[in-house]
Amino acid sequence: MKSTVKSKVEIGHLSDFPKQLGKTVIVGEEELAVFRLSDQKVKAVTNRCPHKNGVLAEGIVSGEFVFCPMHDWKISLQDGKVQAPDIGCVHTYEAVVENERVYVMI
């Protein structure tokens, strides 16, 4: 049975994440795309689009969505769902900011 206990892992300082741009972060065996939104929220998702494995950290951020740089699939940074008419999903990770430090739950 897989453990459901998550670890809180520090991934950097808030200033390490430019607004409205993605950054690739490796945590253990996980490759994440981490985004600092215009409202200072930090979102983290699997760094590969479910369509053709595009690197999501290189995508364009608009609101709480990222557009895959390969084929422009629109993916929610809230729940990881690909927006219609396309289908699919990426894994989302809880991200928190405490005292300007950024953490993800893995």
Side-chain angles (χ1 to χ4, degrees), residues 1-6 29-30 91 93 106:
M1 178 189 280
K2 188 173 181 178
S3 173
T4 58
V5 176
K6 294 187 178 189
E29 296 181 14
E30 303 292 328
H91 186 80
Y93 297 85
I106 298 290

Side-chain angles (χ1 to χ4, degrees), residues 24 26 31-33 45-58 68-70 75 80 82 89-91:
T24 298
I26 307 293
E31 182 177 325
L32 311 179
V45 298
T46 300
N47 197 24
R48 298 290 168 183
C49 178
H51 177 228
K52 296 276 186 176
N53 284 321
V55 179
L56 293 178
E58 296 174 3
C68 178
M70 289 183 71
I75 301 168
V82 173
C89 191
V90 296
H91 186 80

Side-chain angles (χ1 to χ4, degrees), residues 3-77:
S3 173
T4 58
V5 176
K6 294 187 178 189
S7 297
K8 183 177 172 182
V9 179
E10 183 177 340
I11 58 171
H13 191 274
L14 188 60
S15 64
D16 296 333
F17 301 92
K19 287 183 189 175
Q20 308 249 177
L21 295 174
K23 182 174 182 176
T24 298
V25 175
I26 307 293
V27 179
E29 296 181 14
E30 303 292 328
E31 182 177 325
L32 311 179
V34 180
F35 303 92
R36 179 175 161 198
L37 306 181
S38 60
D39 64 3
Q40 301 301 319
K41 289 180 186 173
V42 175
K43 300 292 181 180
V45 298
T46 300
N47 197 24
R48 298 290 168 183
C49 178
H51 177 228
K52 296 276 186 176
N53 284 321
V55 179
L56 293 178
E58 296 174 3
I60 295 172
V61 177
S62 178
E64 292 194 354
F65 295 91
V66 63
F67 290 82
C68 178
M70 289 183 71
H71 298 104
D72 210 32
W73 279 31
K74 184 179 180 183
I75 301 168
S76 170
L77 295 172

